[in-house]
Amino acid sequence: MASLSLASHFSSSPATALASSSYCSPHYSASHQFSHVTTAFVCSSKYLPITQPSRPIFVQKCSSKEPPLLIHELGAFDRLLLTLFRDKMVQEVGWDSKKEGYDGLIEVSRHLMAKYKTSPHIEEATVRILKSLFPSFLLPLFRRLIVPLAGGKIAAVMTARVTQATCQWLMGPCRVNHVELSDGSLLASGVLVERCKYLEESKCASICVHTCKLPTQSFIKSEMGVPLAMEPNFEDFSCQFKFGVEAPPPHMDEALRPKCLDVCPSAAARIRTQMIGSSEQCPEVSLRF
C-alpha cells in the first residue's frame, strides 16, 4: 500500500510523467518515517531528481545487469544516532576528526584501527562502544526475558527488525529477509544490506572485518544472547546478517580472506610498487590477527 500510494502521489507530477515516459521507472520499498525521499532516474548519463519530505530516498539505475541502487538520506533520528555513536567512539579512541558527519566517523574508525593494532583488541574496543549505547539494565533483561522464548527465534526476529529500523544511517538501505537456520527451517531473522555505506565509504575490507563484522557478531551473541553470522560481499558491497545462525569458525569464514578492494588507497599504492597483485588477499585483514 505504501508503494502504491507513493507511486500515485508522484504520478501527478509533470516531472514524474516526463521521467516515466523518457527514462526508466522508479523503484520503491517500505517507507522510513525519519527520512526524506529523493527519487532519481539514471539512464544514459541522465539524472532527474524528485524530492518530497518524510519518505525514503531511492535511485533507480536503468540497467538489465544491475539491480536498483537505494540510498538512505539521513533524517533527524538518524543524525541523532550518528552523533551518539560517533561520540562513544571518540571517547574510546581519545581523538576526534575535524570533519563533520559520516566522513568524520570514518576517520575515527581508522584511528580506532591504528590505536589498537590487533583484531582482538579492536574487537574488544568496538564491543565496549556498542555496549555503551544501551542502558545497563536493557541487555541483561533481553537475555533473561526474550532469548528463552521459542528457542531463541523470537529474539532473533526482534533483533533483525530493530537492526533494520535503526541502523540504515550506518549501513544504508536494508530489508528483513528469511534465512535458513541450523535445523533447516526458514526464519525472518535476516537483514540484507543492499550496499553497505560503511564499507563503501571506508574503502577498506580490513575496517569492515575488524570494526564491524567480528565485533558485531561477538556483541550480539555475548551481550544479547543471539547468534549472528555476517556475510559481507566485497564484490557488490552487500551484506547478509543472519540472526539466529552461528558464525563459522575463522578458518572456515571466507569473509576473513577478502581480496583488496579496487577502491582501497593502500591497495592502489601497493600495486603501483608491485608489492601485491590486484587480485591478492588483503594483507591488512590477516596482519591484524
Side-chain angles (χ1 to χ4, degrees), residues 82 85-86 88-90 92-97 101-117 122 125-126 129 169-170 197-199 201-204 206-212 215 288:
L82 170 58
F85 185 75
R86 177 172 170 170
K88 297 296 186 181
M89 185 175 287
V90 167
E92 178 67 38
V93 176
W95 179 89
D96 196 5
S97 169
Y102 204 93
D103 290 340
L105 176 69
I106 295 298
E107 283 203 344
V108 177
S109 298
R110 294 186 186 279
H111 274 72
L112 177 71
M113 293 272 289
K115 178 177 180 179
Y116 291 105
K117 308 294 184 184
I122 298 168
T126 307
I129 293 169
W169 64 270
L170 177 64
K197 182 178 180 181
Y198 189 68
L199 176 58
E201 295 295 328
S202 67
K203 302 179 176 65
C204 181
S206 183
I207 287 181
C208 165
V209 168
H210 295 298
T211 71
C212 184
R288 301 283 176 174

Side-chain angles (χ1 to χ4, degrees), residues 38-64:
T38 298
T39 305
F41 300 82
V42 183
C43 187
S44 302
S45 302
K46 297 179 181 179
Y47 183 90
L48 177 62
I50 303 172
T51 305
Q52 288 289 332
S54 303
R55 296 290 200 281
I57 173 170
F58 306 95
V59 172
Q60 172 75 46
K61 284 188 174 181
C62 187
S63 169
S64 60

Side-chain angles (χ1 to χ4, degrees), residues 11 13-26 41 43 46 48:
S11 64
S13 166
T16 306
L18 174 63
S20 299
S21 59
S22 304
Y23 300 83
C24 50
S25 301
F41 300 82
C43 187
K46 297 179 181 179
L48 177 62

